[in-house]
Amino acid sequence: IWLVPFSPTGSSRQVITAIAAAMTGIPIEECDLTYAAGVGRRRFGPDELVIIGVPVYAGRVAPLAVERLQTLQGDRTPAVIVATYGNRDFEDALVELRDIARQASFVPLAAGAFIGEHSFSGAETPIAAGRPDGPDLAIAEAFGARIGARLAALETLDAACCPDLPGNVPYREGPPPLPLTPALVEAACTKCGICLTVCPNEAITLQEKIAIDVERCIFCCACIKSCPEEALVIDAAPVRQVRQWLHEHCTARREPQLYL
Ligand SMILES: Cc1cc2nc3c(=O)[nH]c(=O)nc-3n(C[C@H](O)[C@H](O)[C@H](O)COP(=O)(O)O)c2cc1C
Ligand code: SF4
Ligand code: SF4
C-alpha cells in the first residue's frame, strides 16, 4: 500500500492513514507530495494499491496537488481517492481527482469526501475545528476494511466498477482568488524558522526577517497554524468576511461521504 498525501495542514494525511490502518498485514509506504522535495516512488504497478489524499480548494483539487499528482504514473494500479474539505462543500473535487488518477493509469475503485478543520479556522472563528475527529477516523478505518475485503474478493481489476461520483464535468471555475498571503507581525517573530519547514511551496525565506513570495504562496495557512508566536496573520477585510461567513454558515456537521 502506498499513501500519497498532499496535505499542508495534515487532515488529508490523517484520513488516508486511517483508511490504510484497517488493511492489516500489508506493508505501508509513503509518497509524500506535500513538499517540493517530495519523497518516495513515482511509478506504481498493478499489484499495488495507492491511497491518494488531497484538500479541496474552492471546490476543486488544490492546484499544487494537481501539478504534483501529474508526476505520478500507474500501470492499471488500483487507487482509493480522498478529498478533504472544510465542512463547506467539495463540489467538483472528487470527479477532478478521479480524472487525474485515470489519466495516469490508476483505477479508482473507491472514493471518499471527508471533513478536515478548515484552513481558515481560528480560535475566534472555528470552522470544523478538530476534524477529522474520532468518529471521522473510525469511519475512515471501517471504509478501509470494506475496501480491503472488496479487493480480496476481486478476480480481475476489470470487475472493479468505478463508483459514480457527484460533481460537474466540465468542472465549474471557482471564484477569483482572495488576497490570502499571510502578513508578518514583525514584533512577534522570533525568527525560529518553523514556518519555513512547513511551507509546501518554498514560499518563505528568512534573511533579515521572514519574507513570503506572493507568487509562490498557495494560501494553505500551514505557516499560520505552525507559528508558535502567532506572528503570521491573514487579516485583509475580504478574508475576514469570508472567514466570518464560513464560521456562521458552515456550522452544521457534515459527515464523510463514501463511494465504493
Ligand atoms: C485556498 C483554500 C480554499 C479552500 N476551499 C474550500 C472549499 O471550497 N470548501 C471547503 O469545504 N473547504 C475549503 N478549504 C478548506 C480545506 O479544504 C480544508 O481545510 C482541508 O481539510 C485542508 O486539508 P489538509 O489539512 O490536508 O491540507 C479551503 C482551504 C484553502 C486554504
Ligand atoms: S514560525 Fe513564526 S516566529 Fe518562527 S520564524 Fe516563522 S513567523 Fe517567525
Ligand atoms: S507561505 Fe503560503 S504556501 Fe507557504 S505555508 Fe504559508 S500560506 Fe502556505
Side-chain angles (χ1 to χ4, degrees):
I1 300 176
W2 282 87
L3 296 182
V4 182
F6 175 88
S7 187
T9 53
S11 41
S12 308
R13 174 184 274 105
Q14 273 183 280
V15 171
I16 62 173
T17 303
I19 290 174
M23 301 178 198
T24 45
I26 308 172
I28 298 173
E29 298 186 71
E30 187 164 298
C31 164
D32 189 356
L33 301 180
T34 310
Y35 302 105
V39 291
R41 194 133 58 79
R42 289 290 188 273
R43 301 182 80 85
F44 304 90
D47 298 329
E48 296 176 302
L49 172 70
V50 299
I51 309 181
I52 301 170
V54 299
V56 176
Y57 286 3
R60 300 278 299 274
V61 177
L64 189 57
V66 175
E67 208 178 285
R68 295 199 178 151
L69 284 167
Q70 285 166 344
T71 66
L72 304 183
Q73 184 61 52
D75 175 10
R76 294 198 48 70
T77 309
V80 178
I81 54 171
V82 173
T84 310
Y85 69 104
N87 205 50
R88 187 187 67 77
D89 201 357
F90 60 95
E91 287 153 334
D92 301 341
L94 265 188
V95 285
E96 185 181 14
L97 187 55
R98 174 200 64 197
D99 296 345
I100 294 165
R102 280 181 175 160
Q103 274 157 21
S105 215
F106 294 98
V107 181
L109 52 86
F114 283 78
I115 295 83
E117 175 166 319
H118 202 294
S119 320
F120 305 159
S121 178
E124 284 163 26
T125 49
I127 310 155
R131 297 189 74 185
D133 55 16
D136 290 320
L137 296 176
I139 290 171
E141 268 203 48
F143 188 43
R146 281 175 56 207
I147 296 166
R150 176 92 199 280
L151 269 172
L154 275 180
E155 285 181 10
T156 66
L157 196 55
D158 295 327
C161 175
C162 297
D164 281 339
L165 299 175
N168 304 287
V169 181
Y171 324 123
R172 265 191 298 232
E173 287 304 319
L178 289 168
L180 285 171
T181 302
L184 180 70
V185 183
E186 216 177 321
C189 177
T190 59
K191 303 185 184 174
C192 68
I194 292 173
C195 53
L196 275 78
T197 66
V198 301
C199 179
N201 208 25
E202 297 177 344
I204 310 178
T205 49
L206 173 56
Q207 287 173 346
E208 293 296 294
K209 61 174 186 172
I210 287 289
I212 299 182
D213 181 343
V214 179
E215 297 298 318
R216 295 192 67 83
C217 178
I218 63 159
F219 323 129
C220 69
C221 302
C223 56
I224 297 176
K225 291 187 185 239
S226 76
C227 175
E229 310 298 335
E230 298 182 5
L232 290 166
V233 292
I234 301 181
D235 224 14
V239 181
R240 275 207 305 273
Q241 282 164 14
V242 169
R243 195 186 284 136
Q244 190 63 35
W245 186 91
L246 290 166
H247 171 64
E248 286 170 13
H249 292 86
C250 303
T251 45
R253 182 184 174 95
R254 298 193 65 174
E255 295 297 340
Q257 282 169 256
L258 311 176
Y259 308 90
L260 178 61

